[in-house]
Amino acid sequence: DAGVIQSPRHEVTEMGQEVTLRCKPISGHDYLFWYRQTMMRGLELLIYFNNNVPIDDSGMPEDRFSAKMPNASFSTLKIQPSEPRDSAVYFCASSTRQGAGEQYFGPGTRLTVT
Amino acid sequence: RKEVEQDPGPFNVPEGATVAFNCTYSNSASQSFFWYRQDCRKEPKLLMSVYSSGNEDGRFTAQLNRASQYISLLIRDSKLSDSATYLCVVNPMDSSYKLIFGSGTRLLVRP
């Protein structure tokens, strides 16, 4: 069975550009999480969805960040406009209701904003 | 104060050594606890859950001390392949699926 799929794996963009990160969760998982990881701040939860509905977006840093989940098999995280301080690895993870503590992470998108 | 705190290390140990990591959490109402492992430039993966009575999985033993709000992970007979960052993870409340990750403790096992 395929794991969590993220694209692109690497993204280099200039400040001010729009960035869209994509995630396909594991089939049958009804929770989807977006995280950001940096050396300074570690792994931070940005937002999570249950059955495609955003439940907690308190970790979204500011209005430049938005996330959507139009269906059970696809989610996007958009940054517009991007800034150099957004440079990080962005992970998507999914889990089932029964296995709340076991989140399956995708390989991440390494974003560099110059 | 961070919600989950860990010594960043690195812990540099020889093969075969026993090594222990501790982690403290600030929310006394926290319900569930886990250890995740993250290899360099890879995604985190669940290593084991931590139960109140303590639990063991092969060479790995996890313990929870609710009174002192700390969690430990003991690795016996370290292998080179154990080299990784170990993340202490807390679910702050039973009604949420949110996990709070510590910054991780880096382990280097040398030949």
Side-chain angles (χ1 to χ4, degrees), chain B residues 19-43:
Chain B
V19 61
F21 310 134
N22 289 330
C23 156
T24 58
Y25 59 95
S26 61
N27 185 347
S28 60
S30 296
Q31 296 292 320
S32 310
F33 310 89
F34 311 90
W35 284 101
Y36 273 66
R37 169 190 169 132
Q38 186 172 22
D39 292 308
C40 188
R41 300 180 77 84
K42 297 285 190 180
E43 70 273 19

PDB file of all heavy atoms in Angstrom, chain B residues 19-43:
ATOM      1  N   VAL B  19      21.846   3.414  26.479  1.00  0.00           N
ATOM      2  CA  VAL B  19      21.688   4.867  26.519  1.00  0.00           C
ATOM      3  C   VAL B  19      20.245   5.193  26.880  1.00  0.00           C
ATOM      4  O   VAL B  19      19.320   4.455  26.521  1.00  0.00           O
ATOM      5  CB  VAL B  19      22.080   5.491  25.154  1.00  0.00           C
ATOM      6  CG1 VAL B  19      21.210   4.985  24.027  1.00  0.00           C
ATOM      7  CG2 VAL B  19      22.080   7.002  25.210  1.00  0.00           C
ATOM      8  N   ALA B  20      20.076   6.269  27.631  1.00  0.00           N
ATOM      9  CA  ALA B  20      18.735   6.670  28.068  1.00  0.00           C
ATOM     10  C   ALA B  20      18.490   8.132  27.746  1.00  0.00           C
ATOM     11  O   ALA B  20      19.381   8.969  27.925  1.00  0.00           O
ATOM     12  CB  ALA B  20      18.580   6.426  29.565  1.00  0.00           C
ATOM     13  N   PHE B  21      17.285   8.409  27.285  1.00  0.00           N
ATOM     14  CA  PHE B  21      16.860   9.788  27.018  1.00  0.00           C
ATOM     15  C   PHE B  21      15.675  10.105  27.914  1.00  0.00           C
ATOM     16  O   PHE B  21      14.815   9.253  28.134  1.00  0.00           O
ATOM     17  CB  PHE B  21      16.380   9.962  25.569  1.00  0.00           C
ATOM     18  CG  PHE B  21      17.309   9.437  24.530  1.00  0.00           C
ATOM     19  CD1 PHE B  21      16.828   8.666  23.483  1.00  0.00           C
ATOM     20  CD2 PHE B  21      18.665   9.706  24.581  1.00  0.00           C
ATOM     21  CE1 PHE B  21      17.672   8.179  22.496  1.00  0.00           C
ATOM     22  CE2 PHE B  21      19.517   9.216  23.605  1.00  0.00           C
ATOM     23  CZ  PHE B  21      19.016   8.455  22.551  1.00  0.00           C
ATOM     24  N   ASN B  22      15.636  11.335  28.361  1.00  0.00           N
ATOM     25  CA  ASN B  22      14.477  11.791  29.128  1.00  0.00           C
ATOM     26  C   ASN B  22      13.791  12.935  28.409  1.00  0.00           C
ATOM     27  O   ASN B  22      14.402  13.620  27.560  1.00  0.00           O
ATOM     28  CB  ASN B  22      14.907  12.267  30.515  1.00  0.00           C
ATOM     29  CG  ASN B  22      15.328  11.117  31.405  1.00  0.00           C
ATOM     30  OD1 ASN B  22      14.830  10.007  31.273  1.00  0.00           O
ATOM     31  ND2 ASN B  22      16.265  11.387  32.288  1.00  0.00           N
ATOM     32  N   CYS B  23      12.555  13.159  28.775  1.00  0.00           N
ATOM     33  CA  CYS B  23      11.763  14.207  28.166  1.00  0.00           C
ATOM     34  C   CYS B  23      10.795  14.680  29.236  1.00  0.00           C
ATOM     35  O   CYS B  23      10.283  13.860  30.017  1.00  0.00           O
ATOM     36  CB  CYS B  23      11.030  13.585  26.969  1.00  0.00           C
ATOM     37  SG  CYS B  23       9.544  14.395  26.445  1.00  0.00           S
ATOM     38  N   THR B  24      10.542  15.974  29.315  1.00  0.00           N
ATOM     39  CA  THR B  24       9.557  16.485  30.258  1.00  0.00           C
ATOM     40  C   THR B  24       8.450  17.198  29.489  1.00  0.00           C
ATOM     41  O   THR B  24       8.688  17.755  28.411  1.00  0.00           O
ATOM     42  CB  THR B  24      10.183  17.460  31.270  1.00  0.00           C
ATOM     43  OG1 THR B  24      10.796  18.540  30.545  1.00  0.00           O
ATOM     44  CG2 THR B  24      11.225  16.775  32.128  1.00  0.00           C
ATOM     45  N   TYR B  25       7.252  17.162  30.051  1.00  0.00           N
ATOM     46  CA  TYR B  25       6.121  17.837  29.423  1.00  0.00           C
ATOM     47  C   TYR B  25       5.442  18.735  30.446  1.00  0.00           C
ATOM     48  O   TYR B  25       5.477  18.478  31.650  1.00  0.00           O
ATOM     49  CB  TYR B  25       5.138  16.823  28.823  1.00  0.00           C
ATOM     50  CG  TYR B  25       4.546  15.840  29.799  1.00  0.00           C
ATOM     51  CD1 TYR B  25       3.308  16.082  30.393  1.00  0.00           C
ATOM     52  CD2 TYR B  25       5.210  14.661  30.121  1.00  0.00           C
ATOM     53  CE1 TYR B  25       2.753  15.180  31.281  1.00  0.00           C
ATOM     54  CE2 TYR B  25       4.662  13.752  31.015  1.00  0.00           C
ATOM     55  CZ  TYR B  25       3.436  14.023  31.586  1.00  0.00           C
ATOM     56  OH  TYR B  25       2.899  13.126  32.477  1.00  0.00           O
ATOM     57  N   SER B  26       4.838  19.804  29.958  1.00  0.00           N
ATOM     58  CA  SER B  26       4.338  20.839  30.871  1.00  0.00           C
ATOM     59  C   SER B  26       2.866  20.681  31.229  1.00  0.00           C
ATOM     60  O   SER B  26       2.438  21.138  32.288  1.00  0.00           O
ATOM     61  CB  SER B  26       4.572  22.220  30.256  1.00  0.00           C
ATOM     62  OG  SER B  26       3.883  22.342  29.024  1.00  0.00           O
ATOM     63  N   ASN B  27       2.092  20.031  30.366  1.00  0.00           N
ATOM     64  CA  ASN B  27       0.654  19.933  30.587  1.00  0.00           C
ATOM     65  C   ASN B  27       0.329  18.667  31.387  1.00  0.00           C
ATOM     66  O   ASN B  27       0.397  17.554  30.861  1.00  0.00           O
ATOM     67  CB  ASN B  27      -0.073  19.924  29.244  1.00  0.00           C
ATOM     68  CG  ASN B  27      -1.584  19.940  29.396  1.00  0.00           C
ATOM     69  OD1 ASN B  27      -2.128  19.718  30.481  1.00  0.00           O
ATOM     70  ND2 ASN B  27      -2.286  20.198  28.301  1.00  0.00           N
ATOM     71  N   SER B  28      -0.032  18.847  32.641  1.00  0.00           N
ATOM     72  CA  SER B  28      -0.290  17.691  33.504  1.00  0.00           C
ATOM     73  C   SER B  28      -1.518  16.892  33.068  1.00  0.00           C
ATOM     74  O   SER B  28      -1.692  15.755  33.483  1.00  0.00           O
ATOM     75  CB  SER B  28      -0.466  18.155  34.962  1.00  0.00           C
ATOM     76  OG  SER B  28      -1.555  19.061  35.053  1.00  0.00           O
ATOM     77  N   ALA B  29      -2.347  17.483  32.211  1.00  0.00           N
ATOM     78  CA  ALA B  29      -3.538  16.780  31.738  1.00  0.00           C
ATOM     79  C   ALA B  29      -3.259  15.935  30.498  1.00  0.00           C
ATOM     80  O   ALA B  29      -4.167  15.295  29.963  1.00  0.00           O
ATOM     81  CB  ALA B  29      -4.644  17.793  31.432  1.00  0.00           C
ATOM     82  N   SER B  30      -2.037  15.910  30.055  1.00  0.00           N
ATOM     83  CA  SER B  30      -1.690  15.146  28.849  1.00  0.00           C
ATOM     84  C   SER B  30      -2.064  13.683  29.017  1.00  0.00           C
ATOM     85  O   SER B  30      -1.903  13.109  30.103  1.00  0.00           O
ATOM     86  CB  SER B  30      -0.192  15.267  28.548  1.00  0.00           C
ATOM     87  OG  SER B  30       0.128  16.610  28.257  1.00  0.00           O
ATOM     88  N   GLN B  31      -2.541  13.102  27.916  1.00  0.00           N
ATOM     89  CA  GLN B  31      -3.122  11.772  28.017  1.00  0.00           C
ATOM     90  C   GLN B  31      -2.273  10.664  27.416  1.00  0.00           C
ATOM     91  O   GLN B  31      -2.225   9.557  27.931  1.00  0.00           O
ATOM     92  CB  GLN B  31      -4.491  11.785  27.310  1.00  0.00           C
ATOM     93  CG  GLN B  31      -5.512  12.689  27.960  1.00  0.00           C
ATOM     94  CD  GLN B  31      -5.926  12.177  29.322  1.00  0.00           C
ATOM     95  OE1 GLN B  31      -6.091  10.968  29.511  1.00  0.00           O
ATOM     96  NE2 GLN B  31      -6.070  13.074  30.280  1.00  0.00           N
ATOM     97  N   SER B  32      -1.657  10.958  26.288  1.00  0.00           N
ATOM     98  CA  SER B  32      -0.961   9.907  25.550  1.00  0.00           C
ATOM     99  C   SER B  32       0.450  10.358  25.220  1.00  0.00           C
ATOM    100  O   SER B  32       0.694  11.545  24.996  1.00  0.00           O
ATOM    101  CB  SER B  32      -1.695   9.579  24.246  1.00  0.00           C
ATOM    102  OG  SER B  32      -3.061   9.350  24.475  1.00  0.00           O
ATOM    103  N   PHE B  33       1.339   9.363  25.148  1.00  0.00           N
ATOM    104  CA  PHE B  33       2.752   9.681  24.987  1.00  0.00           C
ATOM    105  C   PHE B  33       3.397   8.691  24.025  1.00  0.00           C
ATOM    106  O   PHE B  33       3.017   7.510  23.998  1.00  0.00           O
ATOM    107  CB  PHE B  33       3.455   9.610  26.357  1.00  0.00           C
ATOM    108  CG  PHE B  33       2.736  10.394  27.420  1.00  0.00           C
ATOM    109  CD1 PHE B  33       1.748   9.795  28.188  1.00  0.00           C
ATOM    110  CD2 PHE B  33       3.028  11.724  27.628  1.00  0.00           C
ATOM    111  CE1 PHE B  33       1.060  10.512  29.149  1.00  0.00           C
ATOM    112  CE2 PHE B  33       2.350  12.467  28.598  1.00  0.00           C
ATOM    113  CZ  PHE B  33       1.361  11.855  29.348  1.00  0.00           C
ATOM    114  N   PHE B  34       4.357   9.197  23.260  1.00  0.00           N
ATOM    115  CA  PHE B  34       4.954   8.362  22.221  1.00  0.00           C
ATOM    116  C   PHE B  34       6.405   8.750  22.029  1.00  0.00           C
ATOM    117  O   PHE B  34       6.822   9.864  22.351  1.00  0.00           O
ATOM    118  CB  PHE B  34       4.217   8.570  20.887  1.00  0.00           C
ATOM    119  CG  PHE B  34       2.722   8.479  20.997  1.00  0.00           C
ATOM    120  CD1 PHE B  34       1.960   9.607  21.271  1.00  0.00           C
ATOM    121  CD2 PHE B  34       2.072   7.263  20.858  1.00  0.00           C
ATOM    122  CE1 PHE B  34       0.583   9.537  21.399  1.00  0.00           C
ATOM    123  CE2 PHE B  34       0.697   7.170  20.982  1.00  0.00           C
ATOM    124  CZ  PHE B  34      -0.048   8.310  21.256  1.00  0.00           C
ATOM    125  N   TRP B  35       7.160   7.842  21.463  1.00  0.00           N
ATOM    126  CA  TRP B  35       8.497   8.139  20.941  1.00  0.00           C
ATOM    127  C   TRP B  35       8.464   7.898  19.436  1.00  0.00           C
ATOM    128  O   TRP B  35       8.018   6.839  18.970  1.00  0.00           O
ATOM    129  CB  TRP B  35       9.557   7.261  21.589  1.00  0.00           C
ATOM    130  CG  TRP B  35       9.918   7.673  22.980  1.00  0.00           C
ATOM    131  CD1 TRP B  35       9.481   7.112  24.138  1.00  0.00           C
ATOM    132  CD2 TRP B  35      10.807   8.736  23.366  1.00  0.00           C
ATOM    133  NE1 TRP B  35      10.022   7.765  25.223  1.00  0.00           N
ATOM    134  CE2 TRP B  35      10.846   8.766  24.772  1.00  0.00           C
ATOM    135  CE3 TRP B  35      11.579   9.661  22.658  1.00  0.00           C
ATOM    136  CZ2 TRP B  35      11.612   9.679  25.496  1.00  0.00           C
ATOM    137  CZ3 TRP B  35      12.354  10.570  23.365  1.00  0.00           C
ATOM    138  CH2 TRP B  35      12.363  10.578  24.763  1.00  0.00           C
ATOM    139  N   TYR B  36       8.952   8.894  18.705  1.00  0.00           N
ATOM    140  CA  TYR B  36       9.126   8.780  17.261  1.00  0.00           C
ATOM    141  C   TYR B  36      10.617   8.814  16.978  1.00  0.00           C
ATOM    142  O   TYR B  36      11.404   9.383  17.729  1.00  0.00           O
ATOM    143  CB  TYR B  36       8.456   9.945  16.531  1.00  0.00           C
ATOM    144  CG  TYR B  36       6.985   9.758  16.206  1.00  0.00           C
ATOM    145  CD1 TYR B  36       6.042   9.669  17.220  1.00  0.00           C
ATOM    146  CD2 TYR B  36       6.551   9.680  14.891  1.00  0.00           C
ATOM    147  CE1 TYR B  36       4.692   9.503  16.924  1.00  0.00           C
ATOM    148  CE2 TYR B  36       5.204   9.521  14.574  1.00  0.00           C
ATOM    149  CZ  TYR B  36       4.289   9.435  15.602  1.00  0.00           C
ATOM    150  OH  TYR B  36       2.955   9.282  15.294  1.00  0.00           O
ATOM    151  N   ARG B  37      10.984   8.228  15.847  1.00  0.00           N
ATOM    152  CA  ARG B  37      12.368   8.247  15.407  1.00  0.00           C
ATOM    153  C   ARG B  37      12.426   8.964  14.061  1.00  0.00           C
ATOM    154  O   ARG B  37      11.557   8.777  13.200  1.00  0.00           O
ATOM    155  CB  ARG B  37      12.840   6.802  15.249  1.00  0.00           C
ATOM    156  CG  ARG B  37      14.160   6.665  14.548  1.00  0.00           C
ATOM    157  CD  ARG B  37      14.484   5.249  14.191  1.00  0.00           C
ATOM    158  NE  ARG B  37      15.637   5.236  13.304  1.00  0.00           N
ATOM    159  CZ  ARG B  37      16.682   4.451  13.458  1.00  0.00           C
ATOM    160  NH1 ARG B  37      16.710   3.563  14.454  1.00  0.00           N
ATOM    161  NH2 ARG B  37      17.692   4.503  12.608  1.00  0.00           N
ATOM    162  N   GLN B  38      13.461   9.808  13.893  1.00  0.00           N
ATOM    163  CA  GLN B  38      13.645  10.500  12.621  1.00  0.00           C
ATOM    164  C   GLN B  38      15.087  10.350  12.166  1.00  0.00           C
ATOM    165  O   GLN B  38      16.018  10.815  12.843  1.00  0.00           O
ATOM    166  CB  GLN B  38      13.278  11.983  12.743  1.00  0.00           C
ATOM    167  CG  GLN B  38      13.313  12.717  11.400  1.00  0.00           C
ATOM    168  CD  GLN B  38      12.773  14.136  11.480  1.00  0.00           C
ATOM    169  OE1 GLN B  38      12.736  14.744  12.552  1.00  0.00           O
ATOM    170  NE2 GLN B  38      12.336  14.672  10.340  1.00  0.00           N
ATOM    171  N   ASP B  39      15.269   9.683  11.048  1.00  0.00           N
ATOM    172  CA  ASP B  39      16.597   9.572  10.452  1.00  0.00           C
ATOM    173  C   ASP B  39      16.912  10.867   9.710  1.00  0.00           C
ATOM    174  O   ASP B  39      16.002  11.624   9.324  1.00  0.00           O
ATOM    175  CB  ASP B  39      16.655   8.379   9.496  1.00  0.00           C
ATOM    176  CG  ASP B  39      16.553   7.067  10.256  1.00  0.00           C
ATOM    177  OD1 ASP B  39      17.328   6.874  11.201  1.00  0.00           O
ATOM    178  OD2 ASP B  39      15.682   6.254   9.913  1.00  0.00           O
ATOM    179  N   CYS B  40      18.210  11.088   9.492  1.00  0.00           N
ATOM    180  CA  CYS B  40      18.660  12.326   8.860  1.00  0.00           C
ATOM    181  C   CYS B  40      17.962  12.537   7.507  1.00  0.00           C
ATOM    182  O   CYS B  40      17.960  11.648   6.655  1.00  0.00           O
ATOM    183  CB  CYS B  40      20.177  12.275   8.678  1.00  0.00           C
ATOM    184  SG  CYS B  40      20.885  13.816   8.122  1.00  0.00           S
ATOM    185  N   ARG B  41      17.349  13.683   7.338  1.00  0.00           N
ATOM    186  CA  ARG B  41      16.682  14.087   6.086  1.00  0.00           C
ATOM    187  C   ARG B  41      15.539  13.146   5.692  1.00  0.00           C
ATOM    188  O   ARG B  41      15.197  13.010   4.517  1.00  0.00           O
ATOM    189  CB  ARG B  41      17.706  14.210   4.959  1.00  0.00           C
ATOM    190  CG  ARG B  41      18.778  15.248   5.252  1.00  0.00           C
ATOM    191  CD  ARG B  41      19.788  15.363   4.114  1.00  0.00           C
ATOM    192  NE  ARG B  41      19.256  16.125   2.988  1.00  0.00           N
ATOM    193  CZ  ARG B  41      19.288  17.451   2.923  1.00  0.00           C
ATOM    194  NH1 ARG B  41      19.804  18.162   3.890  1.00  0.00           N
ATOM    195  NH2 ARG B  41      18.814  18.061   1.853  1.00  0.00           N
ATOM    196  N   LYS B  42      14.950  12.512   6.712  1.00  0.00           N
ATOM    197  CA  LYS B  42      13.803  11.640   6.469  1.00  0.00           C
ATOM    198  C   LYS B  42      12.621  12.098   7.321  1.00  0.00           C
ATOM    199  O   LYS B  42      12.746  13.018   8.127  1.00  0.00           O
ATOM    200  CB  LYS B  42      14.144  10.194   6.838  1.00  0.00           C
ATOM    201  CG  LYS B  42      15.246   9.596   6.004  1.00  0.00           C
ATOM    202  CD  LYS B  42      14.764   9.252   4.616  1.00  0.00           C
ATOM    203  CE  LYS B  42      15.804   8.437   3.869  1.00  0.00           C
ATOM    204  NZ  LYS B  42      15.355   8.083   2.512  1.00  0.00           N
ATOM    205  N   GLU B  43      11.481  11.429   7.127  1.00  0.00           N
ATOM    206  CA  GLU B  43      10.307  11.783   7.905  1.00  0.00           C
ATOM    207  C   GLU B  43      10.303  11.058   9.251  1.00  0.00           C
ATOM    208  O   GLU B  43      10.893   9.984   9.389  1.00  0.00           O
ATOM    209  CB  GLU B  43       9.037  11.419   7.115  1.00  0.00           C
ATOM    210  CG  GLU B  43       8.757   9.941   6.951  1.00  0.00           C
ATOM    211  CD  GLU B  43       9.449   9.336   5.750  1.00  0.00           C
ATOM    212  OE1 GLU B  43      10.427   9.926   5.230  1.00  0.00           O
ATOM    213  OE2 GLU B  43       8.999   8.258   5.328  1.00  0.00           O
TER     214      GLU B  43
END
